[in-house]
Amino acid sequence: MSVWPAWEVREGERATRWLHVRLSFGDGARIDVLATVCEGWVCVEDVRARPALALEDLAVLSDWIEEPLARACGAGTGPDARDDAGGGAHRDRSARPREREWRLVARVYRSAREQGADPVLAVMDETGYSRRGALRAIGRTRDAGLLSPRHARR
């Protein structure tokens, strides 16, 4: 994995940086990402992958590139330094908050199913996520093994 700067724009004390991120895998697959970092926010501007990414892989792309971007922006790699990535307002992505969210999503999802309600709407109401965000959270919860798989494999 490698990260290198593309360009930087400064306006007073505020700076916006564009960074290239390349993930290369042993089987020859490659993902190229152009990310913008500004005042603690990271936005993915462009993604190119060979072969194409599945939706599940695209959903976890931010987890794959988070640490390399943090190092490129001058943040350390320890758990306290990760909050300073890109300028200070970076979300904490340690395992504990994820586990709590997964357990919450699993509990709400199961409860809604038992009551005959729409589980996605229940997760949206409980977490405040949009429909896409709720579906992503449900998918991550399934991946963590807290919910049964969506489709039975034959």
Side-chain angles (χ1 to χ4, degrees):
M1 185 174 317
S2 58
V3 178
W4 66 96
W7 62 91
E8 182 174 319
V9 176
R10 291 194 172 272
E11 182 178 340
E13 300 219 359
R14 182 179 170 192
T16 303
R17 299 171 67 185
W18 282 263
L19 299 152
H20 291 287
V21 181
R22 176 170 287 159
L23 293 91
S24 299
F25 300 91
D27 62 355
R30 189 173 90 187
I31 302 171
D32 291 312
V33 178
L34 178 63
T36 305
V37 179
C38 177
E39 294 182 356
W41 293 97
V42 176
C43 297
V44 173
E45 300 284 336
D46 187 36
V47 177
R48 295 177 188 219
R50 300 237 181 235
L53 290 175
L55 282 177
E56 295 84 19
D57 294 335
L58 191 56
V60 296
L61 177 65
S62 62
D63 294 335
W64 294 345
I65 66 173
E66 177 183 19
E67 292 228 16
L69 282 175
R71 283 193 302 270
C73 292
T77 57
D80 295 329
R82 292 172 76 172
D83 292 338
D84 295 332
H90 202 271
R91 293 185 300 167
D92 180 19
R93 290 186 173 257
S94 63
R96 288 186 188 263
R98 281 191 200 157
E99 286 180 21
R100 275 188 240 132
E101 179 185 19
W102 292 337
R103 292 187 194 290
L104 170 71
V105 168
R107 183 172 32 90
V108 170
Y109 186 92
R110 284 191 197 107
S111 174
R113 294 277 311 248
E114 289 170 2
Q115 296 172 3
D118 183 352
V120 177
L121 287 177
V123 171
M124 289 170 61
D125 288 341
E126 186 67 30
T127 62
Y129 288 149
S130 66
R131 184 165 187 81
R132 282 186 181 175
L135 289 169
R136 210 172 304 135
I138 291 167
R140 288 182 185 138
T141 303
R142 286 186 198 288
D143 292 345
L146 297 173
L147 290 174
S148 61
R150 177 73 177 114
H151 299 287
R153 295 184 185 222
R154 297 179 189 186

